Coordinates of all heavy atoms in Angstrom, one line a residue:
G1 N 4.6 345.2 175.2 CA 3.9 345.1 176.5 C 3.5 343.7 176.9 O 2.8 343.0 176.1
I2 N 3.9 343.3 178.1 CA 3.7 341.9 178.4 C 2.8 341.8 179.7 O 2.8 340.8 180.4 CB 5.0 341.1 178.6 CG1 5.9 341.7 179.7 CG2 5.7 341.0 177.3 CD1 7.1 340.8 180.0
G3 N 2.1 342.9 180.0 CA 1.2 342.8 181.2 C 0.2 341.7 181.2 O -0.3 341.3 182.2
K4 N -0.2 341.3 180.0 CA -1.3 340.3 179.8 C -0.8 338.8 179.7 O -1.6 337.9 179.5 CB -2.1 340.6 178.6 CG -2.9 341.9 178.7 CD -3.7 342.2 177.4 CE -4.6 343.5 177.6 NZ -3.8 344.7 177.7
V5 N 0.5 338.6 179.9 CA 1.0 337.2 179.7 C 0.6 336.4 180.9 O 0.3 336.9 182.0 CB 2.6 337.1 179.6 CG1 3.0 337.9 178.4 CG2 3.2 337.7 180.9
K6 N 0.4 335.1 180.6 CA 0.1 334.1 181.7 C 1.2 333.2 182.1 O 1.3 332.7 183.2 CB -1.1 333.2 181.2 CG -2.3 334.0 180.7 CD -2.9 334.8 181.8 CE -4.2 335.5 181.4 NZ -4.8 336.4 182.4
T7 N 2.2 333.1 181.1 CA 3.4 332.3 181.4 C 4.6 333.2 181.5 O 4.8 334.0 180.6 CB 3.6 331.2 180.3 OG1 2.4 330.4 180.2 CG2 4.8 330.4 180.5
D8 N 5.4 333.0 182.5 CA 6.6 333.7 182.6 C 7.6 333.4 181.4 O 7.9 332.3 181.2 CB 7.3 333.4 183.9 CG 8.6 334.2 184.2 OD1 9.1 334.8 183.3 OD2 9.0 334.3 185.4
P9 N 8.0 334.4 180.7 CA 8.8 334.1 179.5 C 10.2 333.5 179.9 O 10.8 332.9 179.0 CB 9.1 335.5 178.9 CG 7.9 336.3 179.3 CD 7.5 335.8 180.7
H10 N 10.6 333.6 181.1 CA 11.8 333.0 181.6 C 11.6 331.5 181.4 O 12.6 330.7 181.2 CB 12.1 333.3 183.0 CG 12.6 334.7 183.2 ND1 11.7 335.8 183.4 CD2 13.8 335.3 183.3 CE1 12.4 336.9 183.5 NE2 13.6 336.6 183.5
V11 N 10.4 331.0 181.6 CA 10.1 329.6 181.6 C 9.8 329.1 180.2 O 10.4 328.1 179.7 CB 9.0 329.3 182.5 CG1 8.6 327.8 182.5 CG2 9.3 329.7 183.9
D12 N 8.9 329.8 179.4 CA 8.5 329.3 178.1 C 7.8 330.5 177.4 O 7.5 331.5 178.0 CB 7.6 328.1 178.2 CG 7.7 327.2 176.9 OD1 8.1 327.7 175.9 OD2 7.3 326.0 177.0
G13 N 7.5 330.3 176.2 CA 6.8 331.3 175.4 C 5.4 331.4 175.8 O 4.8 330.6 176.5
D14 N 4.8 332.6 175.4 CA 3.4 332.8 175.6 C 2.8 333.6 174.5 O 3.6 334.1 173.7 CB 3.2 333.6 177.0 CG 1.8 333.4 177.5 OD1 0.9 332.8 176.8 OD2 1.5 333.9 178.6
V15 N 1.5 333.6 174.4 CA 0.8 334.3 173.3 C -0.1 335.4 174.0 O -0.9 335.1 174.9 CB -0.1 333.3 172.5 CG1 -1.0 334.1 171.5 CG2 0.9 332.4 171.8
V16 N -0.1 336.6 173.4 CA -1.0 337.7 173.9 C -1.8 338.1 172.6 O -1.2 338.6 171.7 CB -0.2 338.9 174.5 CG1 -1.2 340.0 174.8 CG2 0.5 338.4 175.8
S17 N -3.1 337.9 172.7 CA -3.9 338.3 171.5 C -4.5 339.7 171.7 O -5.6 339.9 172.2 CB -5.1 337.3 171.4 OG -4.6 336.0 171.1
I18 N -3.7 340.7 171.3 CA -4.0 342.0 171.4 C -4.0 342.6 170.0 O -3.1 342.4 169.2 CB -3.0 342.8 172.3 CG1 -3.5 344.3 172.4 CG2 -1.6 342.7 171.8 CD1 -2.6 345.0 173.4
S19 N -5.2 343.3 169.6 CA -5.3 343.9 168.3 C -4.4 345.2 168.2 O -4.0 345.7 169.2 CB -6.7 344.3 168.0 OG -7.1 345.4 168.8
R20 N -4.2 345.6 166.9 CA -3.4 346.8 166.7 C -4.1 348.0 167.4 O -3.5 348.9 168.0 CB -3.2 347.0 165.2 CG -2.4 348.2 164.9 CD -1.0 348.2 165.6 NE -0.5 349.6 165.7 CZ 0.2 350.2 164.8 NH1 0.5 349.5 163.7 NH2 0.7 351.4 165.0
E21 N -5.4 348.1 167.2 CA -6.1 349.2 167.8 C -6.0 349.2 169.3 O -5.8 350.2 170.0 CB -7.6 349.1 167.4 CG -8.5 350.2 168.0 CD -9.9 350.1 167.6 OE1 -10.3 349.1 167.1 OE2 -10.7 351.1 167.9
Q22 N -6.1 348.0 169.9 CA -5.9 347.9 171.4 C -4.5 348.2 171.8 O -4.3 348.9 172.8 CB -6.3 346.5 171.8 CG -6.5 346.3 173.3 CD -6.9 344.9 173.6 OE1 -6.9 344.0 172.8 NE2 -7.2 344.6 174.9
L23 N -3.5 347.8 171.0 CA -2.1 348.1 171.3 C -1.9 349.6 171.4 O -1.4 350.1 172.4 CB -1.2 347.5 170.2 CG 0.2 347.9 170.3 CD1 0.9 347.2 171.5 CD2 1.0 347.7 169.0
D24 N -2.4 350.4 170.4 CA -2.2 351.8 170.4 C -2.9 352.5 171.6 O -2.4 353.6 172.0 CB -2.7 352.4 169.1 CG -1.8 352.0 167.9 OD1 -0.7 351.5 168.2 OD2 -2.2 352.1 166.8
K25 N -4.0 352.0 172.0 CA -4.8 352.6 173.1 C -4.3 352.2 174.5 O -4.4 353.0 175.4 CB -6.3 352.3 173.0 CG -7.0 352.9 171.8 CD -8.5 352.6 171.8 CE -9.2 353.2 170.6 NZ -10.6 352.8 170.6
E26 N -3.8 351.0 174.6 CA -3.5 350.4 175.9 C -1.9 350.1 176.0 O -1.1 351.0 176.3 CB -4.3 349.2 176.1 CG -5.8 349.4 176.1 CD -6.6 348.2 176.3 OE1 -6.1 347.1 176.6 OE2 -7.9 348.2 176.1
D27 N -1.5 348.9 175.8 CA -0.2 348.4 176.1 C 0.9 349.2 175.4 O 2.0 349.4 175.9 CB 0.0 346.9 175.8 CG -1.0 346.1 176.6 OD1 -2.2 346.1 176.3 OD2 -0.5 345.4 177.6
G28 N 0.7 349.6 174.1 CA 1.7 350.3 173.4 C 1.8 351.8 173.7 O 2.8 352.4 173.4
R29 N 0.7 352.3 174.3 CA 0.7 353.8 174.5 C 1.8 354.3 175.4 O 2.4 355.4 175.1 CB -0.7 354.2 175.0 CG -0.8 355.7 175.0 CD -2.2 356.2 175.3 NE -2.2 357.5 175.9 CZ -2.8 357.9 177.0 NH1 -3.6 357.0 177.7 NH2 -2.7 359.1 177.5
P30 N 2.1 353.7 176.5 CA 3.3 354.2 177.3 C 4.6 354.3 176.5 O 5.4 355.2 176.6 CB 3.4 353.2 178.4 CG 2.1 352.6 178.6 CD 1.5 352.5 177.2

């Protein structure tokens, strides 16, 4: 899940600090 990125990966890398618990409840759940 890359909804929280600030930099377009087409341009450069980015870092998303999401915990495993948050992943399972939010971005990873779909």
Side-chain angles (χ1 to χ4, degrees):
I2 60 170
K4 295 179 173 66
V5 298
K6 304 299 182 186
T7 301
D8 185 342
H10 291 83
V11 178
D12 208 340
D14 202 354
V15 172
V16 174
S17 295
I18 181 172
S19 69
R20 180 57 201 277
E21 181 181 9
Q22 192 177 6
L23 174 72
D24 292 343
K25 289 182 178 179
E26 298 176 12
D27 298 72
R29 190 170 151 230

